[in-house]
Amino acid sequence: MPTAPVIGPQEMDRETEEILADPEVRASLEALEDLEDREDLIHHLKALKKLKEGKDRLIPWDEALKQLGL
């Protein structure tokens, strides 16, 4: 199983700092015991933020497979 690096305080970007400023997010992170799960939650919230801001888009699974040639 691949392991994701854990974000240390020195590696935190502005976007991560904004996400962690939310008390609900901090409570959710504290409830997770696995550091990789915490990292995954942060990445997920960053992706959701980009979607809401229109900086990224979702495509249907079938379309993604076609674009990948699978």
Side-chain angles (χ1 to χ4, degrees):
M1 179 161 101
T3 58
V6 177
I7 293 178
Q10 70 279 6
E11 301 171 19
M12 211 177 302
D13 60 10
R14 191 177 127 270
E15 189 176 18
T16 302
E17 289 175 358
E18 289 174 5
I19 289 170
L20 294 177
D22 184 344
E24 290 181 15
V25 171
R26 285 196 315 267
S28 296
L29 284 172
E30 290 174 9
L32 296 172
E33 294 178 14
D34 187 350
L35 294 177
E36 289 181 33
D37 289 342
R38 292 177 183 183
E39 182 78 14
D40 290 343
L41 176 61
I42 292 170
H43 287 297
H44 174 75
L45 292 172
K46 284 181 178 182
L48 283 176
K49 183 178 176 186
K50 288 179 183 177
L51 286 171
K52 288 179 183 177
E53 293 174 348
K55 295 179 181 176
D56 211 346
R57 65 183 182 96
L58 290 176
I59 59 173
W61 183 247
D62 293 340
E63 178 66 25
L65 291 176
K66 286 179 188 175
Q67 289 183 14
L68 293 171
L70 301 175

